[in-house]
Amino acid sequence: MITILICVVTFAVSAWCFSSETQLRKFILTPYRLERDKNYYTLLTSGFIHADWMHLIFNMVSFYSFGKNLEQTVGPVKYVLFYLGTILITSVISWRKNLDNPLYATLGASGGVCGVLFATVLFYPGLSLYMMFIPIPIPGAIYAVLYLAYTYYSSKSSQSDGINHDAHLWGALCGIAFALLLDPQIIGRVMRNLLGSGD
């Protein structure tokens, strides 16, 4: 399963960078440096490293919980292209926005994860998931909105933690666009589901 493979690779690369400051500096996206050193690979590698274990685990639990459903729905090829493409799109936006800021750096899979969350919620509007320490199921749509709200709040309250919270909004938009591209009627079905009128 591609979702599991992405989780394993992300855990492995992140753990490697936790123990190696050299590798972290090599893989993190620093727009000011990219513009000068032309290390364009960091637009993608930054999506496979994280700030700490909590950041990594939170992202990968969210990714796995939603990603396995999306992978089954769209197939492995479209799924991989969408996930990697979303990481690249959110990274490019961050790069262009922070070209002249030598102090700005970003890392984390959050843009890609947010894309997967929102695409999955559109394909499965009735999806619920269980989280550790919460004994009741959380509707997927509510989780996705709370996830986005959390990242928006974090982007306003913590500007220098190295986590690209702003990428989450663009990731969500990529997820919505991806779902609409594959199924232009999906919004109507989601609304009927939310209103309880079925298909």
Side-chain angles (χ1 to χ4, degrees):
M1 182 182 284
I2 298 298
T3 302
I4 294 176
L5 178 60
I6 291 174
C7 286
V8 169
V9 171
T10 305
F11 264 99
V13 176
S14 292
W16 184 25
C17 290
F18 289 158
S19 62
S20 172
E21 186 70 25
T22 300
Q23 290 304 131
L24 178 64
R25 287 196 303 270
K26 182 178 179 181
F27 289 156
I28 198 169
L29 172 59
T30 308
Y32 187 83
R33 190 181 73 198
L34 185 152
E35 193 69 9
R36 288 149 182 79
D37 297 347
K38 310 301 181 186
N39 53 346
Y40 294 105
Y41 63 87
T42 60
L43 292 168
L44 185 60
T45 58
S46 59
F48 287 86
I49 59 177
H50 289 77
D52 52 44
W53 283 107
M54 184 61 68
H55 182 210
L56 172 62
I57 291 170
F58 180 72
N59 268 347
M60 289 300 99
V61 168
S62 300
F63 173 69
Y64 176 77
S65 298
F66 287 83
K68 62 184 188 295
N69 295 294
L70 186 62
E71 179 185 351
Q72 291 175 356
T73 300
V74 304
V77 175
K78 290 178 182 176
Y79 179 67
V80 169
L81 291 176
F82 164 64
Y83 181 71
L84 297 180
T86 300
I87 289 177
L88 285 173
I89 288 170
T90 56
S91 292
V92 167
I93 290 170
S94 298
W95 165 38
R96 303 309 298 176
K97 183 179 177 181
N98 297 279
L99 283 175
D100 300 319
N101 184 356
L103 300 179
Y104 182 87
T106 181
L107 76 174
S110 302
V113 172
C114 211
V116 168
L117 260 65
F118 276 79
T120 304
V121 165
L122 288 180
F123 281 109
Y124 296 91
L127 177 71
S128 294
L129 70 154
Y130 288 87
M131 299 295 289
M132 293 181 294
F133 312 118
I134 301 178
I136 58 175
I138 304 172
I142 292 177
Y143 182 88
V145 170
L146 290 176
Y147 184 97
L148 195 59
Y150 158 74
T151 60
Y152 176 80
Y153 170 79
S154 297
S155 72
K156 299 302 180 184
S157 63
S158 182
Q159 296 294 336
S160 60
D161 61 359
I163 302 171
N164 191 355
H165 300 288
D166 293 330
H168 297 199
L169 174 60
W170 292 102
L173 293 175
C174 285
I176 293 169
F178 177 68
L180 284 171
L181 181 65
L182 295 183
D183 185 356
Q185 307 301 319
I186 201 167
I187 295 294
R189 288 207 305 278
V190 169
M191 293 306 297
R192 289 194 295 272
N193 181 278
L194 293 175
L195 295 173
S197 55
D199 293 330

PDB file of all heavy atoms in Angstrom, residues 160-187:
ATOM      1  N   SER A 160       8.160  31.469  13.661  1.00  0.00           N
ATOM      2  CA  SER A 160       9.549  31.047  13.468  1.00  0.00           C
ATOM      3  C   SER A 160       9.816  29.624  13.947  1.00  0.00           C
ATOM      4  O   SER A 160      10.910  29.310  14.358  1.00  0.00           O
ATOM      5  CB  SER A 160      10.472  32.006  14.233  1.00  0.00           C
ATOM      6  OG  SER A 160      10.163  31.992  15.619  1.00  0.00           O
ATOM      7  N   ASP A 161       8.787  28.755  13.893  1.00  0.00           N
ATOM      8  CA  ASP A 161       8.999  27.395  14.377  1.00  0.00           C
ATOM      9  C   ASP A 161       9.434  26.444  13.274  1.00  0.00           C
ATOM     10  O   ASP A 161       9.613  25.259  13.507  1.00  0.00           O
ATOM     11  CB  ASP A 161       7.735  26.858  15.067  1.00  0.00           C
ATOM     12  CG  ASP A 161       6.537  26.812  14.125  1.00  0.00           C
ATOM     13  OD1 ASP A 161       6.688  27.215  12.961  1.00  0.00           O
ATOM     14  OD2 ASP A 161       5.472  26.372  14.573  1.00  0.00           O
ATOM     15  N   GLY A 162       9.616  26.927  12.051  1.00  0.00           N
ATOM     16  CA  GLY A 162      10.079  26.089  10.965  1.00  0.00           C
ATOM     17  C   GLY A 162       9.007  25.230  10.332  1.00  0.00           C
ATOM     18  O   GLY A 162       9.288  24.466   9.420  1.00  0.00           O
ATOM     19  N   ILE A 163       7.769  25.333  10.804  1.00  0.00           N
ATOM     20  CA  ILE A 163       6.669  24.561  10.242  1.00  0.00           C
ATOM     21  C   ILE A 163       5.867  25.467   9.315  1.00  0.00           C
ATOM     22  O   ILE A 163       5.453  26.552   9.708  1.00  0.00           O
ATOM     23  CB  ILE A 163       5.747  24.008  11.358  1.00  0.00           C
ATOM     24  CG1 ILE A 163       6.549  23.137  12.330  1.00  0.00           C
ATOM     25  CG2 ILE A 163       4.615  23.197  10.745  1.00  0.00           C
ATOM     26  CD1 ILE A 163       5.776  22.723  13.561  1.00  0.00           C
ATOM     27  N   ASN A 164       5.645  25.013   8.112  1.00  0.00           N
ATOM     28  CA  ASN A 164       4.983  25.857   7.119  1.00  0.00           C
ATOM     29  C   ASN A 164       3.465  25.764   7.268  1.00  0.00           C
ATOM     30  O   ASN A 164       2.780  25.141   6.466  1.00  0.00           O
ATOM     31  CB  ASN A 164       5.417  25.441   5.715  1.00  0.00           C
ATOM     32  CG  ASN A 164       4.974  26.434   4.674  1.00  0.00           C
ATOM     33  OD1 ASN A 164       4.266  27.382   4.960  1.00  0.00           O
ATOM     34  ND2 ASN A 164       5.394  26.208   3.446  1.00  0.00           N
ATOM     35  N   HIS A 165       2.931  26.436   8.286  1.00  0.00           N
ATOM     36  CA  HIS A 165       1.491  26.394   8.519  1.00  0.00           C
ATOM     37  C   HIS A 165       0.715  26.983   7.343  1.00  0.00           C
ATOM     38  O   HIS A 165      -0.381  26.524   7.027  1.00  0.00           O
ATOM     39  CB  HIS A 165       1.151  27.167   9.795  1.00  0.00           C
ATOM     40  CG  HIS A 165       1.812  26.619  11.016  1.00  0.00           C
ATOM     41  ND1 HIS A 165       1.436  25.428  11.589  1.00  0.00           N
ATOM     42  CD2 HIS A 165       2.826  27.100  11.783  1.00  0.00           C
ATOM     43  CE1 HIS A 165       2.180  25.200  12.659  1.00  0.00           C
ATOM     44  NE2 HIS A 165       3.038  26.189  12.793  1.00  0.00           N
ATOM     45  N   ASP A 166       1.249  27.989   6.702  1.00  0.00           N
ATOM     46  CA  ASP A 166       0.541  28.624   5.593  1.00  0.00           C
ATOM     47  C   ASP A 166       0.325  27.665   4.427  1.00  0.00           C
ATOM     48  O   ASP A 166      -0.598  27.845   3.628  1.00  0.00           O
ATOM     49  CB  ASP A 166       1.321  29.853   5.108  1.00  0.00           C
ATOM     50  CG  ASP A 166       1.346  30.974   6.139  1.00  0.00           C
ATOM     51  OD1 ASP A 166       0.374  31.086   6.915  1.00  0.00           O
ATOM     52  OD2 ASP A 166       2.323  31.723   6.174  1.00  0.00           O
ATOM     53  N   ALA A 167       1.156  26.641   4.320  1.00  0.00           N
ATOM     54  CA  ALA A 167       1.007  25.671   3.229  1.00  0.00           C
ATOM     55  C   ALA A 167      -0.273  24.860   3.375  1.00  0.00           C
ATOM     56  O   ALA A 167      -0.771  24.304   2.391  1.00  0.00           O
ATOM     57  CB  ALA A 167       2.210  24.732   3.194  1.00  0.00           C
ATOM     58  N   HIS A 168      -0.825  24.797   4.572  1.00  0.00           N
ATOM     59  CA  HIS A 168      -2.015  23.977   4.798  1.00  0.00           C
ATOM     60  C   HIS A 168      -3.205  24.493   3.993  1.00  0.00           C
ATOM     61  O   HIS A 168      -3.979  23.701   3.448  1.00  0.00           O
ATOM     62  CB  HIS A 168      -2.367  23.935   6.284  1.00  0.00           C
ATOM     63  CG  HIS A 168      -1.301  23.290   7.123  1.00  0.00           C
ATOM     64  ND1 HIS A 168      -1.540  22.799   8.386  1.00  0.00           N
ATOM     65  CD2 HIS A 168       0.014  23.057   6.882  1.00  0.00           C
ATOM     66  CE1 HIS A 168      -0.428  22.300   8.884  1.00  0.00           C
ATOM     67  NE2 HIS A 168       0.527  22.454   7.984  1.00  0.00           N
ATOM     68  N   LEU A 169      -3.352  25.801   3.958  1.00  0.00           N
ATOM     69  CA  LEU A 169      -4.464  26.368   3.196  1.00  0.00           C
ATOM     70  C   LEU A 169      -4.338  26.005   1.720  1.00  0.00           C
ATOM     71  O   LEU A 169      -5.306  25.558   1.090  1.00  0.00           O
ATOM     72  CB  LEU A 169      -4.500  27.882   3.362  1.00  0.00           C
ATOM     73  CG  LEU A 169      -5.537  28.618   2.495  1.00  0.00           C
ATOM     74  CD1 LEU A 169      -6.946  28.132   2.823  1.00  0.00           C
ATOM     75  CD2 LEU A 169      -5.423  30.124   2.690  1.00  0.00           C
ATOM     76  N   TRP A 170      -3.140  26.155   1.172  1.00  0.00           N
ATOM     77  CA  TRP A 170      -2.934  25.815  -0.232  1.00  0.00           C
ATOM     78  C   TRP A 170      -3.065  24.319  -0.455  1.00  0.00           C
ATOM     79  O   TRP A 170      -3.543  23.875  -1.503  1.00  0.00           O
ATOM     80  CB  TRP A 170      -1.571  26.318  -0.698  1.00  0.00           C
ATOM     81  CG  TRP A 170      -1.526  27.812  -0.730  1.00  0.00           C
ATOM     82  CD1 TRP A 170      -0.948  28.650   0.178  1.00  0.00           C
ATOM     83  CD2 TRP A 170      -2.132  28.664  -1.711  1.00  0.00           C
ATOM     84  NE1 TRP A 170      -1.135  29.957  -0.182  1.00  0.00           N
ATOM     85  CE2 TRP A 170      -1.861  30.001  -1.329  1.00  0.00           C
ATOM     86  CE3 TRP A 170      -2.870  28.424  -2.877  1.00  0.00           C
ATOM     87  CZ2 TRP A 170      -2.299  31.090  -2.084  1.00  0.00           C
ATOM     88  CZ3 TRP A 170      -3.311  29.505  -3.615  1.00  0.00           C
ATOM     89  CH2 TRP A 170      -3.023  30.821  -3.222  1.00  0.00           C
ATOM     90  N   GLY A 171      -2.652  23.525   0.522  1.00  0.00           N
ATOM     91  CA  GLY A 171      -2.837  22.077   0.427  1.00  0.00           C
ATOM     92  C   GLY A 171      -4.311  21.715   0.378  1.00  0.00           C
ATOM     93  O   GLY A 171      -4.727  20.866  -0.422  1.00  0.00           O
ATOM     94  N   ALA A 172      -5.104  22.369   1.232  1.00  0.00           N
ATOM     95  CA  ALA A 172      -6.553  22.123   1.235  1.00  0.00           C
ATOM     96  C   ALA A 172      -7.161  22.477  -0.119  1.00  0.00           C
ATOM     97  O   ALA A 172      -7.991  21.731  -0.658  1.00  0.00           O
ATOM     98  CB  ALA A 172      -7.212  22.938   2.343  1.00  0.00           C
ATOM     99  N   LEU A 173      -6.751  23.598  -0.689  1.00  0.00           N
ATOM    100  CA  LEU A 173      -7.262  24.011  -1.997  1.00  0.00           C
ATOM    101  C   LEU A 173      -6.861  23.015  -3.085  1.00  0.00           C
ATOM    102  O   LEU A 173      -7.646  22.720  -3.995  1.00  0.00           O
ATOM    103  CB  LEU A 173      -6.759  25.409  -2.337  1.00  0.00           C
ATOM    104  CG  LEU A 173      -7.309  26.544  -1.454  1.00  0.00           C
ATOM    105  CD1 LEU A 173      -6.636  27.866  -1.810  1.00  0.00           C
ATOM    106  CD2 LEU A 173      -8.822  26.655  -1.591  1.00  0.00           C
ATOM    107  N   CYS A 174      -5.641  22.478  -2.984  1.00  0.00           N
ATOM    108  CA  CYS A 174      -5.206  21.455  -3.937  1.00  0.00           C
ATOM    109  C   CYS A 174      -6.073  20.206  -3.813  1.00  0.00           C
ATOM    110  O   CYS A 174      -6.444  19.592  -4.822  1.00  0.00           O
ATOM    111  CB  CYS A 174      -3.744  21.084  -3.697  1.00  0.00           C
ATOM    112  SG  CYS A 174      -2.556  22.313  -4.267  1.00  0.00           S
ATOM    113  N   GLY A 175      -6.395  19.820  -2.578  1.00  0.00           N
ATOM    114  CA  GLY A 175      -7.242  18.649  -2.356  1.00  0.00           C
ATOM    115  C   GLY A 175      -8.627  18.829  -2.946  1.00  0.00           C
ATOM    116  O   GLY A 175      -9.177  17.917  -3.578  1.00  0.00           O
ATOM    117  N   ILE A 176      -9.198  19.997  -2.752  1.00  0.00           N
ATOM    118  CA  ILE A 176     -10.523  20.297  -3.299  1.00  0.00           C
ATOM    119  C   ILE A 176     -10.475  20.290  -4.828  1.00  0.00           C
ATOM    120  O   ILE A 176     -11.341  19.708  -5.494  1.00  0.00           O
ATOM    121  CB  ILE A 176     -11.023  21.651  -2.767  1.00  0.00           C
ATOM    122  CG1 ILE A 176     -11.273  21.548  -1.252  1.00  0.00           C
ATOM    123  CG2 ILE A 176     -12.299  22.084  -3.492  1.00  0.00           C
ATOM    124  CD1 ILE A 176     -11.509  22.882  -0.579  1.00  0.00           C
ATOM    125  N   ALA A 177      -9.443  20.923  -5.395  1.00  0.00           N
ATOM    126  CA  ALA A 177      -9.306  20.979  -6.852  1.00  0.00           C
ATOM    127  C   ALA A 177      -9.117  19.579  -7.444  1.00  0.00           C
ATOM    128  O   ALA A 177      -9.687  19.253  -8.501  1.00  0.00           O
ATOM    129  CB  ALA A 177      -8.127  21.876  -7.228  1.00  0.00           C
ATOM    130  N   PHE A 178      -8.337  18.736  -6.756  1.00  0.00           N
ATOM    131  CA  PHE A 178      -8.084  17.371  -7.223  1.00  0.00           C
ATOM    132  C   PHE A 178      -9.377  16.569  -7.264  1.00  0.00           C
ATOM    133  O   PHE A 178      -9.671  15.891  -8.256  1.00  0.00           O
ATOM    134  CB  PHE A 178      -7.067  16.710  -6.298  1.00  0.00           C
ATOM    135  CG  PHE A 178      -6.753  15.276  -6.620  1.00  0.00           C
ATOM    136  CD1 PHE A 178      -6.081  14.950  -7.787  1.00  0.00           C
ATOM    137  CD2 PHE A 178      -7.098  14.257  -5.743  1.00  0.00           C
ATOM    138  CE1 PHE A 178      -5.770  13.627  -8.088  1.00  0.00           C
ATOM    139  CE2 PHE A 178      -6.797  12.939  -6.033  1.00  0.00           C
ATOM    140  CZ  PHE A 178      -6.130  12.621  -7.208  1.00  0.00           C
ATOM    141  N   ALA A 179     -10.157  16.661  -6.195  1.00  0.00           N
ATOM    142  CA  ALA A 179     -11.426  15.929  -6.144  1.00  0.00           C
ATOM    143  C   ALA A 179     -12.384  16.410  -7.233  1.00  0.00           C
ATOM    144  O   ALA A 179     -13.050  15.605  -7.891  1.00  0.00           O
ATOM    145  CB  ALA A 179     -12.059  16.089  -4.764  1.00  0.00           C
ATOM    146  N   LEU A 180     -12.440  17.720  -7.432  1.00  0.00           N
ATOM    147  CA  LEU A 180     -13.320  18.275  -8.463  1.00  0.00           C
ATOM    148  C   LEU A 180     -12.872  17.885  -9.865  1.00  0.00           C
ATOM    149  O   LEU A 180     -13.695  17.650 -10.756  1.00  0.00           O
ATOM    150  CB  LEU A 180     -13.372  19.802  -8.340  1.00  0.00           C
ATOM    151  CG  LEU A 180     -14.224  20.356  -7.196  1.00  0.00           C
ATOM    152  CD1 LEU A 180     -14.013  21.863  -7.065  1.00  0.00           C
ATOM    153  CD2 LEU A 180     -15.695  20.036  -7.430  1.00  0.00           C
ATOM    154  N   LEU A 181     -11.563  17.813 -10.064  1.00  0.00           N
ATOM    155  CA  LEU A 181     -11.031  17.420 -11.368  1.00  0.00           C
ATOM    156  C   LEU A 181     -11.439  15.991 -11.713  1.00  0.00           C
ATOM    157  O   LEU A 181     -11.817  15.696 -12.854  1.00  0.00           O
ATOM    158  CB  LEU A 181      -9.503  17.541 -11.362  1.00  0.00           C
ATOM    159  CG  LEU A 181      -8.775  17.183 -12.665  1.00  0.00           C
ATOM    160  CD1 LEU A 181      -9.152  18.170 -13.769  1.00  0.00           C
ATOM    161  CD2 LEU A 181      -7.268  17.191 -12.453  1.00  0.00           C
ATOM    162  N   LEU A 182     -11.401  15.101 -10.718  1.00  0.00           N
ATOM    163  CA  LEU A 182     -11.751  13.708 -10.953  1.00  0.00           C
ATOM    164  C   LEU A 182     -13.256  13.490 -10.986  1.00  0.00           C
ATOM    165  O   LEU A 182     -13.736  12.563 -11.654  1.00  0.00           O
ATOM    166  CB  LEU A 182     -11.121  12.817  -9.875  1.00  0.00           C
ATOM    167  CG  LEU A 182      -9.599  12.742  -9.856  1.00  0.00           C
ATOM    168  CD1 LEU A 182      -9.128  11.767  -8.796  1.00  0.00           C
ATOM    169  CD2 LEU A 182      -9.052  12.336 -11.217  1.00  0.00           C
ATOM    170  N   ASP A 183     -13.989  14.322 -10.255  1.00  0.00           N
ATOM    171  CA  ASP A 183     -15.446  14.164 -10.177  1.00  0.00           C
ATOM    172  C   ASP A 183     -16.100  15.525 -10.011  1.00  0.00           C
ATOM    173  O   ASP A 183     -16.305  16.001  -8.889  1.00  0.00           O
ATOM    174  CB  ASP A 183     -15.805  13.255  -8.996  1.00  0.00           C
ATOM    175  CG  ASP A 183     -17.288  12.949  -8.930  1.00  0.00           C
ATOM    176  OD1 ASP A 183     -18.053  13.498  -9.749  1.00  0.00           O
ATOM    177  OD2 ASP A 183     -17.690  12.163  -8.055  1.00  0.00           O
ATOM    178  N   PRO A 184     -16.439  16.190 -11.124  1.00  0.00           N
ATOM    179  CA  PRO A 184     -17.000  17.547 -11.054  1.00  0.00           C
ATOM    180  C   PRO A 184     -18.316  17.637 -10.285  1.00  0.00           C
ATOM    181  O   PRO A 184     -18.711  18.727  -9.869  1.00  0.00           O
ATOM    182  CB  PRO A 184     -17.213  17.912 -12.538  1.00  0.00           C
ATOM    183  CG  PRO A 184     -16.248  17.053 -13.279  1.00  0.00           C
ATOM    184  CD  PRO A 184     -16.190  15.765 -12.517  1.00  0.00           C
ATOM    185  N   GLN A 185     -19.007  16.500 -10.094  1.00  0.00           N
ATOM    186  CA  GLN A 185     -20.292  16.507  -9.399  1.00  0.00           C
ATOM    187  C   GLN A 185     -20.143  16.295  -7.893  1.00  0.00           C
ATOM    188  O   GLN A 185     -21.137  16.219  -7.177  1.00  0.00           O
ATOM    189  CB  GLN A 185     -21.202  15.404  -9.960  1.00  0.00           C
ATOM    190  CG  GLN A 185     -21.360  15.452 -11.474  1.00  0.00           C
ATOM    191  CD  GLN A 185     -21.942  16.761 -11.951  1.00  0.00           C
ATOM    192  OE1 GLN A 185     -22.868  17.298 -11.333  1.00  0.00           O
ATOM    193  NE2 GLN A 185     -21.387  17.305 -13.032  1.00  0.00           N
ATOM    194  N   ILE A 186     -18.914  16.231  -7.411  1.00  0.00           N
ATOM    195  CA  ILE A 186     -18.696  15.788  -6.030  1.00  0.00           C
ATOM    196  C   ILE A 186     -19.238  16.764  -4.993  1.00  0.00           C
ATOM    197  O   ILE A 186     -19.756  16.354  -3.954  1.00  0.00           O
ATOM    198  CB  ILE A 186     -17.189  15.503  -5.786  1.00  0.00           C
ATOM    199  CG1 ILE A 186     -17.013  14.588  -4.582  1.00  0.00           C
ATOM    200  CG2 ILE A 186     -16.388  16.798  -5.616  1.00  0.00           C
ATOM    201  CD1 ILE A 186     -15.617  14.009  -4.455  1.00  0.00           C
ATOM    202  N   ILE A 187     -19.176  18.059  -5.264  1.00  0.00           N
ATOM    203  CA  ILE A 187     -19.666  19.042  -4.296  1.00  0.00           C
ATOM    204  C   ILE A 187     -21.161  18.869  -4.067  1.00  0.00           C
ATOM    205  O   ILE A 187     -21.643  18.931  -2.929  1.00  0.00           O
ATOM    206  CB  ILE A 187     -19.358  20.482  -4.765  1.00  0.00           C
ATOM    207  CG1 ILE A 187     -17.841  20.717  -4.813  1.00  0.00           C
ATOM    208  CG2 ILE A 187     -20.023  21.505  -3.848  1.00  0.00           C
ATOM    209  CD1 ILE A 187     -17.166  20.683  -3.462  1.00  0.00           C
TER     210      ILE A 187
END
